[in-house]
């Protein structure tokens, strides 16, 4: 079965540090997403990406966040200066066509100390 | 107004019970209604989806949508311990838009 791969599975960082979360979407997918889930809260949409540009972003996705598809396979989320409240599980997802073909990765647990 | 509200949990039932999980939503633009299952430290996995109103059945699972009342339900028949997980309802307008999730309910099926 196709799989979205995320690395690392767990990242610990100090407040104010930059972090990059990495994702390898499914190879023939065209739309890519980042979602996050703070412990005990909803899975929240951050950003969607298509054709090498952001197609939609939420209020959470401020200037501290950026996304990039540096090559044909990777999709990254960068947080420039992490805050304590950025601690969450971050999920990458990709889709091609219908919603039943939207797949999530296993997530990166980000802990900001 | 919160876009998707899900009945709070957790929920614990004996094996073999019928489970009913429910959500309401506020945005009439939503066209697709999904149920995801999430195990600890894993990403959401699509369980079932329904387009517009109606029922959809897959084995022991039935998804039901009533667009007139903006109500989404998932029924699990003959529940098994392996069904123990967090269940998330989600909505989607289509055309590769974002998913909007409910908070999730943790289900525990006791042997």
């Amino acid at each position: 079965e196709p799989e979205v791969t995320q690395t690392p599975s767990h990242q610990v960082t100090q407040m104010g540090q930059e972090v990059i979360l990495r994702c390898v979407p499914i190879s023939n997918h065209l739309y890519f997403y980042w979602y996050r889930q703070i412990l005990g809260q909803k899975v929240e949409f951050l950003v969607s990406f298509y054709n090498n540009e952001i197609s939609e972003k939420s209020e959470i996705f401020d200037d501290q966040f950026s996304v990039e598809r540096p090559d044909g396979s990777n999709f990254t989320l960068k947080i420039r200066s992490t805050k304590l409240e950025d601690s969450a599980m971050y999920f990458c997802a990709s889709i091609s066509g219908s919603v039943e073909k939207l797949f999530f990765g296993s997530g990166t647990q980000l802990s900001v100390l | 107004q919160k876009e998707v509200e899900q009945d709070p949990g957790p929920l614990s039932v004996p094996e073999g019970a019928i489970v009913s999980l429910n959500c309401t939503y506020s945005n009439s633009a939503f066209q697709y209604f999904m149920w995801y299952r999430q195990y600890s430290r894993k990403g959401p996995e699509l369980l079932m989806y329904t387009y517009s109103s109606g029922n959809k059945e897959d084995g022991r699972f039935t998804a039901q949508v009533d667009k007139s009342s903006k109500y989404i339900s998932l029924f699990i028949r003959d529940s098994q311990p392996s069904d123990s997980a967090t269940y998330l309802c989600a909505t989607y307008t289509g055309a590769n838009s974002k998913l909007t999730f409910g908070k999730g309910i943790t289900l525990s099926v006791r042997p």
Side-chain angles (χ1 to χ4, degrees), chain A residues 1-2 8 10 23 25 37 55-56 70 79 92 102 108:
Chain A
E1 183 167 284
H10 194 183
C23 169
Q37 186 176 29
S55 50
E56 187 177 359
I79 308 175
C92 173
L102 190 154
T108 294

Side-chain angles (χ1 to χ4, degrees), chain A residues 31 33 35 37 40 42 100 105, chain B residues 4 38 43 49 96 99 103:
Chain A
Y31 284 82
Y33 303 86
Y35 289 80
Q37 186 176 29
K42 293 183 178 184
E100 70 266 27
Chain B
V4 180
Q38 186 179 25
Y49 82 97
N96 300 304
L99 291 172
K103 195 172 180 180

Side-chain angles (χ1 to χ4, degrees), chain A residues 20-79:
Chain A
I20 297 176
L21 310 183
R22 292 184 165 79
C23 169
V24 179
I26 294 167
S27 61
N28 62 344
H29 284 190
L30 300 176
Y31 284 82
F32 314 111
Y33 303 86
W34 285 100
Y35 289 80
R36 80 172 185 190
Q37 186 176 29
I38 295 171
L39 187 64
Q41 298 188 25
K42 293 183 178 184
V43 176
E44 301 175 288
F45 168 77
L46 292 179
V47 65
S48 59
F49 191 85
Y50 171 71
N51 201 26
N52 284 319
E53 60 182 27
I54 291 173
S55 50
E56 187 177 359
K57 60 183 181 179
S58 71
E59 293 176 353
I60 303 166
F61 195 88
D62 62 20
D63 291 345
Q64 293 300 311
F65 290 87
S66 63
V67 289
E68 193 177 37
R69 188 157 163 82
D71 54 42
S73 59
N74 291 286
F75 179 50
T76 61
L77 174 69
K78 182 192 291 186
I79 308 175

